[in-house]
mmCIF file of all heavy atoms in Angstrom:
data_model
loop_
_atom_site.group_PDB
_atom_site.id
_atom_site.type_symbol
_atom_site.label_atom_id
_atom_site.label_comp_id
_atom_site.label_asym_id
_atom_site.label_seq_id
_atom_site.Cartn_x
_atom_site.Cartn_y
_atom_site.Cartn_z
ATOM 1 N N TYR A 17 1.444 -10.741 -23.188
ATOM 2 C CA TYR A 17 1.912 -9.355 -23.022
ATOM 3 C C TYR A 17 2.085 -9.025 -21.541
ATOM 4 O O TYR A 17 3.124 -8.496 -21.123
ATOM 5 C CB TYR A 17 0.919 -8.398 -23.682
ATOM 6 C CG TYR A 17 1.015 -6.977 -23.204
ATOM 7 C CD1 TYR A 17 2.090 -6.173 -23.576
ATOM 8 C CD2 TYR A 17 0.047 -6.428 -22.376
ATOM 9 C CE1 TYR A 17 2.189 -4.858 -23.139
ATOM 10 C CE2 TYR A 17 0.134 -5.129 -21.940
ATOM 11 C CZ TYR A 17 1.203 -4.346 -22.314
ATOM 12 O OH TYR A 17 1.292 -3.052 -21.873
ATOM 13 N N THR A 18 1.098 -9.358 -20.742
ATOM 14 C CA THR A 18 1.161 -9.073 -19.308
ATOM 15 C C THR A 18 2.336 -9.797 -18.666
ATOM 16 O O THR A 18 3.081 -9.207 -17.877
ATOM 17 C CB THR A 18 -0.163 -9.469 -18.625
ATOM 18 O OG1 THR A 18 -1.214 -8.659 -19.168
ATOM 19 C CG2 THR A 18 -0.108 -9.255 -17.123
ATOM 20 N N ALA A 19 2.542 -11.043 -19.012
ATOM 21 C CA ALA A 19 3.658 -11.809 -18.436
ATOM 22 C C ALA A 19 5.005 -11.204 -18.844
ATOM 23 O O ALA A 19 5.904 -11.068 -18.010
ATOM 24 C CB ALA A 19 3.576 -13.265 -18.883
ATOM 25 N N MET A 20 5.145 -10.824 -20.121
ATOM 26 C CA MET A 20 6.394 -10.222 -20.590
ATOM 27 C C MET A 20 6.688 -8.916 -19.863
ATOM 28 O O MET A 20 7.807 -8.677 -19.426
ATOM 29 C CB MET A 20 6.321 -9.922 -22.094
ATOM 30 C CG MET A 20 6.516 -11.112 -22.986
ATOM 31 S SD MET A 20 6.666 -10.597 -24.729
ATOM 32 C CE MET A 20 4.964 -10.280 -25.155
ATOM 33 N N ARG A 21 5.696 -8.082 -19.754
ATOM 34 C CA ARG A 21 5.898 -6.756 -19.175
ATOM 35 C C ARG A 21 6.075 -6.815 -17.658
ATOM 36 O O ARG A 21 6.829 -6.048 -17.097
ATOM 37 C CB ARG A 21 4.742 -5.825 -19.534
ATOM 38 C CG ARG A 21 4.650 -5.543 -21.009
ATOM 39 C CD ARG A 21 5.950 -5.029 -21.606
ATOM 40 N NE ARG A 21 6.295 -3.744 -21.040
ATOM 41 C CZ ARG A 21 7.521 -3.382 -20.688
ATOM 42 N NH1 ARG A 21 8.539 -4.199 -20.849
ATOM 43 N NH2 ARG A 21 7.758 -2.194 -20.178
ATOM 44 N N ARG A 22 5.392 -7.706 -16.996
ATOM 45 C CA ARG A 22 5.476 -7.781 -15.532
ATOM 46 C C ARG A 22 6.915 -8.006 -15.089
ATOM 47 O O ARG A 22 7.397 -7.346 -14.179
ATOM 48 C CB ARG A 22 4.556 -8.886 -15.012
ATOM 49 C CG ARG A 22 4.568 -9.022 -13.541
ATOM 50 C CD ARG A 22 3.413 -8.493 -12.738
ATOM 51 N NE ARG A 22 2.123 -8.457 -13.346
ATOM 52 C CZ ARG A 22 1.344 -7.366 -13.284
ATOM 53 N NH1 ARG A 22 1.754 -6.285 -12.688
ATOM 54 N NH2 ARG A 22 0.154 -7.377 -13.828
ATOM 55 N N ARG A 23 7.613 -8.925 -15.737
ATOM 56 C CA ARG A 23 9.007 -9.215 -15.357
ATOM 57 C C ARG A 23 9.896 -7.986 -15.492
ATOM 58 O O ARG A 23 10.742 -7.726 -14.659
ATOM 59 C CB ARG A 23 9.558 -10.360 -16.203
ATOM 60 C CG ARG A 23 8.952 -11.706 -15.872
ATOM 61 C CD ARG A 23 9.690 -12.835 -16.567
ATOM 62 N NE ARG A 23 9.667 -12.729 -18.016
ATOM 63 C CZ ARG A 23 8.763 -13.312 -18.796
ATOM 64 N NH1 ARG A 23 7.818 -14.049 -18.280
ATOM 65 N NH2 ARG A 23 8.826 -13.177 -20.104
ATOM 66 N N HIS A 24 9.710 -7.238 -16.556
ATOM 67 C CA HIS A 24 10.532 -6.053 -16.807
ATOM 68 C C HIS A 24 10.149 -4.907 -15.866
ATOM 69 O O HIS A 24 11.012 -4.216 -15.328
ATOM 70 C CB HIS A 24 10.346 -5.643 -18.268
ATOM 71 C CG HIS A 24 11.254 -4.545 -18.724
ATOM 72 N ND1 HIS A 24 10.880 -3.671 -19.706
ATOM 73 C CD2 HIS A 24 12.491 -4.165 -18.362
ATOM 74 C CE1 HIS A 24 11.849 -2.807 -19.931
ATOM 75 N NE2 HIS A 24 12.848 -3.083 -19.124
ATOM 76 N N LEU A 25 8.871 -4.717 -15.658
ATOM 77 C CA LEU A 25 8.396 -3.572 -14.882
ATOM 78 C C LEU A 25 8.601 -3.707 -13.382
ATOM 79 O O LEU A 25 8.667 -2.693 -12.687
ATOM 80 C CB LEU A 25 6.918 -3.331 -15.178
ATOM 81 C CG LEU A 25 6.672 -2.778 -16.571
ATOM 82 C CD1 LEU A 25 5.224 -2.937 -16.958
ATOM 83 C CD2 LEU A 25 7.100 -1.333 -16.636
ATOM 84 N N ASP A 26 8.705 -4.917 -12.882
ATOM 85 C CA ASP A 26 8.917 -5.092 -11.441
ATOM 86 C C ASP A 26 10.107 -4.268 -10.960
ATOM 87 O O ASP A 26 10.053 -3.618 -9.920
ATOM 88 C CB ASP A 26 9.123 -6.564 -11.081
ATOM 89 C CG ASP A 26 7.842 -7.360 -11.093
ATOM 90 O OD1 ASP A 26 6.748 -6.752 -11.124
ATOM 91 O OD2 ASP A 26 7.927 -8.606 -11.060
ATOM 92 N N TYR A 27 11.189 -4.301 -11.709
ATOM 93 C CA TYR A 27 12.404 -3.568 -11.335
ATOM 94 C C TYR A 27 12.146 -2.062 -11.312
ATOM 95 O O TYR A 27 12.537 -1.363 -10.371
ATOM 96 C CB TYR A 27 13.535 -3.904 -12.301
ATOM 97 C CG TYR A 27 14.744 -3.010 -12.132
ATOM 98 C CD1 TYR A 27 15.527 -3.090 -10.986
ATOM 99 C CD2 TYR A 27 15.104 -2.097 -13.111
ATOM 100 C CE1 TYR A 27 16.632 -2.280 -10.824
ATOM 101 C CE2 TYR A 27 16.210 -1.290 -12.960
ATOM 102 C CZ TYR A 27 16.969 -1.375 -11.814
ATOM 103 O OH TYR A 27 18.063 -0.567 -11.663
ATOM 104 N N TYR A 28 11.488 -1.529 -12.338
ATOM 105 C CA TYR A 28 11.275 -0.084 -12.428
ATOM 106 C C TYR A 28 10.300 0.405 -11.360
ATOM 107 O O TYR A 28 10.465 1.504 -10.826
ATOM 108 C CB TYR A 28 10.826 0.299 -13.843
ATOM 109 C CG TYR A 28 11.986 0.173 -14.786
ATOM 110 C CD1 TYR A 28 12.231 -1.011 -15.454
ATOM 111 C CD2 TYR A 28 12.884 1.211 -14.937
ATOM 112 C CE1 TYR A 28 13.339 -1.149 -16.268
ATOM 113 C CE2 TYR A 28 13.998 1.082 -15.754
ATOM 114 C CZ TYR A 28 14.215 -0.100 -16.409
ATOM 115 O OH TYR A 28 15.324 -0.243 -17.195
ATOM 116 N N GLN A 29 9.315 -0.394 -11.030
ATOM 117 C CA GLN A 29 8.397 0.010 -9.980
ATOM 118 C C GLN A 29 9.079 -0.037 -8.612
ATOM 119 O O GLN A 29 8.862 0.836 -7.772
ATOM 120 C CB GLN A 29 7.130 -0.829 -10.031
ATOM 121 C CG GLN A 29 6.321 -0.461 -11.273
ATOM 122 C CD GLN A 29 5.077 -1.277 -11.455
ATOM 123 O OE1 GLN A 29 5.024 -2.441 -11.111
ATOM 124 N NE2 GLN A 29 4.067 -0.642 -12.017
ATOM 125 N N LEU A 30 9.945 -1.007 -8.387
ATOM 126 C CA LEU A 30 10.717 -1.060 -7.147
ATOM 127 C C LEU A 30 11.676 0.133 -7.069
ATOM 128 O O LEU A 30 11.773 0.800 -6.030
ATOM 129 C CB LEU A 30 11.506 -2.374 -7.064
ATOM 130 C CG LEU A 30 12.447 -2.501 -5.867
ATOM 131 C CD1 LEU A 30 11.644 -2.534 -4.572
ATOM 132 C CD2 LEU A 30 13.306 -3.739 -5.997
ATOM 133 N N ALA A 31 12.357 0.426 -8.159
ATOM 134 C CA ALA A 31 13.295 1.552 -8.172
ATOM 135 C C ALA A 31 12.590 2.872 -7.927
ATOM 136 O O ALA A 31 13.078 3.727 -7.182
ATOM 137 C CB ALA A 31 14.040 1.598 -9.514
ATOM 138 N N THR A 32 11.417 3.055 -8.517
ATOM 139 C CA THR A 32 10.709 4.316 -8.322
ATOM 140 C C THR A 32 10.233 4.447 -6.868
ATOM 141 O O THR A 32 10.291 5.526 -6.292
ATOM 142 C CB THR A 32 9.559 4.490 -9.331
ATOM 143 O OG1 THR A 32 9.232 5.865 -9.406
ATOM 144 C CG2 THR A 32 8.329 3.718 -9.001
ATOM 145 N N ARG A 33 9.798 3.341 -6.255
ATOM 146 C CA ARG A 33 9.401 3.396 -4.842
ATOM 147 C C ARG A 33 10.593 3.728 -3.950
ATOM 148 O O ARG A 33 10.462 4.459 -2.982
ATOM 149 C CB ARG A 33 8.780 2.069 -4.408
ATOM 150 C CG ARG A 33 7.344 1.939 -4.787
ATOM 151 C CD ARG A 33 6.718 0.685 -4.173
ATOM 152 N NE ARG A 33 5.805 0.121 -5.137
ATOM 153 C CZ ARG A 33 6.013 -0.970 -5.856
ATOM 154 N NH1 ARG A 33 7.103 -1.675 -5.704
ATOM 155 N NH2 ARG A 33 5.132 -1.374 -6.720
ATOM 156 N N ALA A 34 11.745 3.178 -4.270
ATOM 157 C CA ALA A 34 12.939 3.405 -3.450
ATOM 158 C C ALA A 34 13.490 4.817 -3.624
ATOM 159 O O ALA A 34 13.958 5.417 -2.659
ATOM 160 C CB ALA A 34 14.009 2.370 -3.797
ATOM 161 N N LEU A 35 13.444 5.362 -4.840
ATOM 162 C CA LEU A 35 14.060 6.655 -5.102
ATOM 163 C C LEU A 35 13.151 7.855 -4.864
ATOM 164 O O LEU A 35 13.647 8.967 -4.653
ATOM 165 C CB LEU A 35 14.576 6.694 -6.544
ATOM 166 C CG LEU A 35 15.726 5.741 -6.849
ATOM 167 C CD1 LEU A 35 16.077 5.795 -8.320
ATOM 168 C CD2 LEU A 35 16.932 6.058 -5.987
ATOM 169 N N THR A 36 11.857 7.663 -4.902
ATOM 170 C CA THR A 36 10.939 8.788 -4.749
ATOM 171 C C THR A 36 11.198 9.594 -3.477
ATOM 172 O O THR A 36 11.236 10.828 -3.541
ATOM 173 C CB THR A 36 9.475 8.312 -4.824
ATOM 174 O OG1 THR A 36 9.250 7.833 -6.153
ATOM 175 C CG2 THR A 36 8.497 9.439 -4.534
ATOM 176 N N PRO A 37 11.399 8.975 -2.316
ATOM 177 C CA PRO A 37 11.662 9.796 -1.121
ATOM 178 C C PRO A 37 12.923 10.659 -1.241
ATOM 179 O O PRO A 37 12.995 11.730 -0.639
ATOM 180 C CB PRO A 37 11.827 8.761 0.000
ATOM 181 C CG PRO A 37 11.116 7.550 -0.483
ATOM 182 C CD PRO A 37 11.281 7.561 -1.977
ATOM 183 N N LEU A 38 13.907 10.216 -2.020
ATOM 184 C CA LEU A 38 15.124 11.009 -2.188
ATOM 185 C C LEU A 38 14.885 12.261 -3.024
ATOM 186 O O LEU A 38 15.583 13.256 -2.877
ATOM 187 C CB LEU A 38 16.224 10.165 -2.845
ATOM 188 C CG LEU A 38 16.731 8.975 -2.040
ATOM 189 C CD1 LEU A 38 17.663 8.133 -2.881
ATOM 190 C CD2 LEU A 38 17.420 9.438 -0.766
ATOM 191 N N PHE A 39 13.900 12.219 -3.922
ATOM 192 C CA PHE A 39 13.647 13.329 -4.827
ATOM 193 C C PHE A 39 12.412 14.150 -4.467
ATOM 194 O O PHE A 39 12.305 15.294 -4.872
ATOM 195 C CB PHE A 39 13.502 12.811 -6.271
ATOM 196 C CG PHE A 39 14.799 12.356 -6.854
ATOM 197 C CD1 PHE A 39 15.227 11.049 -6.704
ATOM 198 C CD2 PHE A 39 15.607 13.236 -7.551
ATOM 199 C CE1 PHE A 39 16.430 10.625 -7.237
ATOM 200 C CE2 PHE A 39 16.814 12.825 -8.085
ATOM 201 C CZ PHE A 39 17.230 11.518 -7.933
ATOM 202 N N GLN A 40 11.468 13.555 -3.761
ATOM 203 C CA GLN A 40 10.204 14.235 -3.485
ATOM 204 C C GLN A 40 9.909 14.232 -1.995
ATOM 205 O O GLN A 40 8.852 13.790 -1.565
ATOM 206 C CB GLN A 40 9.077 13.561 -4.266
ATOM 207 C CG GLN A 40 9.286 13.631 -5.752
ATOM 208 C CD GLN A 40 8.237 12.863 -6.525
ATOM 209 O OE1 GLN A 40 7.265 12.369 -5.983
ATOM 210 N NE2 GLN A 40 8.426 12.756 -7.823
ATOM 211 N N SER A 41 10.839 14.729 -1.241
ATOM 212 C CA SER A 41 10.693 14.746 0.205
ATOM 213 C C SER A 41 11.134 16.101 0.735
ATOM 214 O O SER A 41 11.962 16.780 0.122
ATOM 215 C CB SER A 41 11.551 13.637 0.825
ATOM 216 O OG SER A 41 11.602 13.776 2.220
ATOM 217 N N ASP A 42 10.598 16.487 1.873
ATOM 218 C CA ASP A 42 11.028 17.708 2.531
ATOM 219 C C ASP A 42 12.235 17.459 3.436
ATOM 220 O O ASP A 42 12.743 18.382 4.060
ATOM 221 C CB ASP A 42 9.878 18.298 3.364
ATOM 222 C CG ASP A 42 8.742 18.787 2.487
ATOM 223 O OD1 ASP A 42 9.005 19.173 1.334
ATOM 224 O OD2 ASP A 42 7.598 18.788 2.966
ATOM 225 N N SER A 43 12.687 16.225 3.519
ATOM 226 C CA SER A 43 13.792 15.862 4.399
ATOM 227 C C SER A 43 15.123 16.408 3.868
ATOM 228 O O SER A 43 15.524 16.094 2.752
ATOM 229 C CB SER A 43 13.892 14.338 4.532
ATOM 230 O OG SER A 43 15.081 13.984 5.182
ATOM 231 N N ARG A 44 15.790 17.173 4.677
ATOM 232 C CA ARG A 44 17.106 17.689 4.296
ATOM 233 C C ARG A 44 18.142 16.567 4.278
ATOM 234 O O ARG A 44 19.065 16.582 3.480
ATOM 235 C CB ARG A 44 17.545 18.786 5.257
ATOM 236 C CG ARG A 44 16.751 20.047 5.081
ATOM 237 C CD ARG A 44 17.221 21.115 6.009
ATOM 238 N NE ARG A 44 16.351 22.259 5.874
ATOM 239 C CZ ARG A 44 16.700 23.469 6.201
ATOM 240 N NH1 ARG A 44 17.891 23.697 6.698
ATOM 241 N NH2 ARG A 44 15.854 24.456 6.049
ATOM 242 N N VAL A 45 17.982 15.593 5.155
ATOM 243 C CA VAL A 45 18.917 14.479 5.224
ATOM 244 C C VAL A 45 18.857 13.661 3.930
ATOM 245 O O VAL A 45 19.891 13.321 3.351
ATOM 246 C CB VAL A 45 18.643 13.585 6.454
ATOM 247 C CG1 VAL A 45 19.491 12.333 6.427
ATOM 248 C CG2 VAL A 45 18.858 14.372 7.739
ATOM 249 N N LEU A 46 17.645 13.345 3.470
ATOM 250 C CA LEU A 46 17.518 12.575 2.235
ATOM 251 C C LEU A 46 18.045 13.354 1.033
ATOM 252 O O LEU A 46 18.690 12.797 0.152
ATOM 253 C CB LEU A 46 16.066 12.150 2.011
ATOM 254 C CG LEU A 46 15.518 11.114 2.986
ATOM 255 C CD1 LEU A 46 14.056 10.835 2.698
ATOM 256 C CD2 LEU A 46 16.330 9.838 2.944
ATOM 257 N N GLY A 47 17.782 14.656 1.002
ATOM 258 C CA GLY A 47 18.302 15.488 -0.083
ATOM 259 C C GLY A 47 19.823 15.540 -0.060
ATOM 260 O O GLY A 47 20.477 15.451 -1.103
ATOM 261 N N TRP A 48 20.390 15.671 1.118
ATOM 262 C CA TRP A 48 21.850 15.689 1.261
ATOM 263 C C TRP A 48 22.445 14.350 0.807
ATOM 264 O O TRP A 48 23.435 14.319 0.079
ATOM 265 C CB TRP A 48 22.213 15.972 2.721
ATOM 266 C CG TRP A 48 23.670 15.870 3.002
ATOM 267 C CD1 TRP A 48 24.616 16.828 2.784
ATOM 268 C CD2 TRP A 48 24.356 14.740 3.535
ATOM 269 N NE1 TRP A 48 25.853 16.359 3.154
ATOM 270 C CE2 TRP A 48 25.723 15.068 3.620
ATOM 271 C CE3 TRP A 48 23.955 13.477 3.953
ATOM 272 C CZ2 TRP A 48 26.678 14.194 4.104
ATOM 273 C CZ3 TRP A 48 24.906 12.596 4.430
ATOM 274 C CH2 TRP A 48 26.241 12.964 4.500
ATOM 275 N N LEU A 49 21.821 13.251 1.230
ATOM 276 C CA LEU A 49 22.288 11.917 0.851
ATOM 277 C C LEU A 49 22.245 11.737 -0.668
ATOM 278 O O LEU A 49 23.194 11.271 -1.286
ATOM 279 C CB LEU A 49 21.438 10.851 1.545
ATOM 280 C CG LEU A 49 21.799 9.409 1.283
ATOM 281 C CD1 LEU A 49 23.193 9.109 1.834
ATOM 282 C CD2 LEU A 49 20.769 8.498 1.926
ATOM 283 N N ARG A 50 21.141 12.144 -1.284
ATOM 284 C CA ARG A 50 21.005 12.051 -2.748
ATOM 285 C C ARG A 50 22.090 12.858 -3.445
ATOM 286 O O ARG A 50 22.738 12.381 -4.372
ATOM 287 C CB ARG A 50 19.623 12.576 -3.147
ATOM 288 C CG ARG A 50 19.411 12.659 -4.647
ATOM 289 C CD ARG A 50 18.294 13.615 -5.025
ATOM 290 N NE ARG A 50 18.636 14.966 -4.626
ATOM 291 C CZ ARG A 50 17.784 15.837 -4.088
ATOM 292 N NH1 ARG A 50 16.536 15.509 -3.862
ATOM 293 N NH2 ARG A 50 18.171 17.051 -3.759
ATOM 294 N N ASP A 51 22.301 14.094 -2.989
ATOM 295 C CA ASP A 51 23.284 14.966 -3.634
ATOM 296 C C ASP A 51 24.717 14.494 -3.431
ATOM 297 O O ASP A 51 25.596 14.819 -4.215
ATOM 298 C CB ASP A 51 23.129 16.398 -3.111
ATOM 299 C CG ASP A 51 21.806 17.027 -3.535
ATOM 300 O OD1 ASP A 51 21.147 16.469 -4.445
ATOM 301 O OD2 ASP A 51 21.426 18.058 -2.959
ATOM 302 N N LEU A 52 24.956 13.705 -2.417
ATOM 303 C CA LEU A 52 26.282 13.153 -2.172
ATOM 304 C C LEU A 52 26.514 11.874 -2.973
ATOM 305 O O LEU A 52 27.528 11.723 -3.655
ATOM 306 C CB LEU A 52 26.454 12.857 -0.673
ATOM 307 C CG LEU A 52 27.763 12.188 -0.270
ATOM 308 C CD1 LEU A 52 28.913 13.175 -0.406
ATOM 309 C CD2 LEU A 52 27.658 11.664 1.154
ATOM 310 N N VAL A 53 25.542 10.963 -2.934
ATOM 311 C CA VAL A 53 25.720 9.627 -3.512
ATOM 312 C C VAL A 53 25.579 9.612 -5.038
ATOM 313 O O VAL A 53 26.395 9.006 -5.732
ATOM 314 C CB VAL A 53 24.742 8.625 -2.868
ATOM 315 C CG1 VAL A 53 24.761 7.295 -3.595
ATOM 316 C CG2 VAL A 53 25.078 8.450 -1.392
#
């Protein structure tokens, strides 16, 4: 179970780390970039 899930979850954990600053930041630049892209 752990081996099966680890392969699948690696992507989602990477994506959440990459996207969190765009959605949960006080930065106007990151918010502007998110709303544009």
Side-chain angles (χ1 to χ4, degrees):
Y17 160 73
T18 297
M20 282 189 282
R21 295 307 296 139
R22 181 104 29 227
R23 289 190 300 267
H24 187 210
L25 289 163
D26 284 346
Y27 170 68
Y28 288 91
Q29 290 177 327
L30 175 65
T32 200
R33 278 188 218 106
L35 294 176
T36 294
L38 295 172
F39 288 89
Q40 298 175 7
S41 170
D42 293 332
S43 170
R44 289 181 185 202
V45 173
L46 291 177
W48 174 82
L49 181 64
R50 174 201 64 221
D51 293 346
L52 176 71
V53 171

